[in-house]
Amino acid sequence: ATMTSETPAAAAPRRANKLVGYNNFVRHNPMSDRFGIQRFHHIEFWCGDATNTFSRFAVGLGMQLVAKSDLSTGNKSYASYVLRSNDLVFAFSAPYQQPQEPAAAEEVAASQPHPGYTGAAMREFCNAHGLGVRAVGVLVDDARDAYEQSVANGARGVLSPRTLTTDGAAATATTADH
């Protein structure tokens, strides 16, 4: 028996892909894009120990701590630490082992930077999965439109769009689970 590397005559010739480079790359597909996407913003990990986990990633990847939310900032439900290296942003969040969440809804809203997160939900996730990616942030042209389009096409809305302010800066946040 002889083996050859020839392709059958019926096979279509392969089209070569042309590399365009980072600066010229435009990702747009009118057949599937339902709203304008600019870029990925961050990846959030939920874990059992945010302090230890963010520290290990910071040392291992050479990333810098750029933000935090914990007891020292008034967050009574969970700790979050944000690392950045150029455009790469990782957030690490973990619930406190002993629930310290305030009983009154007004107190919860005042003490938590993200109104859709609770220590109880984080504990449940971490007990079931351990360290894992819980959220992928995407920077979009219009957060309200992105939320409405996502929910209309099968996503489960977790937190409707709202404006969150801190130190005079405002941002619209949208959360939708697929």
Side-chain angles (χ1 to χ4, degrees), residues 4-75:
T4 63
S5 61
E6 296 176 341
T7 58
R14 293 178 61 104
R15 188 179 73 140
N17 291 329
K18 181 179 178 188
L19 298 176
V20 296
Y22 175 80
N23 292 330
N24 297 322
F25 179 77
V26 177
R27 197 274 178 211
H28 176 71
N29 184 345
M31 300 298 288
S32 64
D33 292 353
R34 301 190 191 301
F35 48 87
I37 298 173
Q38 296 177 17
R39 63 180 177 86
F40 284 105
H41 185 267
H42 70 277
I43 296 174
E44 182 172 12
F45 298 87
W46 280 8
C47 53
D49 181 353
T51 305
N52 188 31
T53 306
F54 102 79
S55 296
R56 289 175 180 265
F57 272 78
V59 170
L61 299 176
M63 299 176 80
Q64 299 299 310
L65 178 67
V66 295
K68 73 176 184 176
S69 175
D70 56 15
L71 286 172
S72 71
T73 63
N75 186 342

Side-chain angles (χ1 to χ4, degrees), residues 73-161:
T73 63
N75 186 342
K76 298 178 182 177
S77 299
Y78 58 91
S80 287
Y81 301 97
V82 179
L83 300 176
R84 178 189 309 260
S85 178
N86 296 319
D87 288 340
L88 184 62
V89 179
F90 288 162
F92 300 90
S93 299
Y96 294 122
Q97 293 303 318
Q98 298 299 316
Q100 301 177 34
E101 296 180 65
E106 309 82 49
E107 235 188 301
V108 170
S111 75
Q112 291 181 187
H114 193 295
Y117 286 12
T118 65
M122 286 183 175
R123 277 187 292 283
E124 184 178 320
F125 178 89
C126 291
N127 289 339
H129 306 288
L131 171 66
V133 172
R134 181 63 174 121
V136 176
V138 180
L139 190 60
V140 297
D141 295 340
D142 183 332
R144 187 166 306 282
D145 180 52
Y147 179 86
E148 290 168 359
Q149 289 292 329
S150 295
V151 171
N153 286 282
R156 182 177 55 89
V158 176
L159 181 66
S160 61

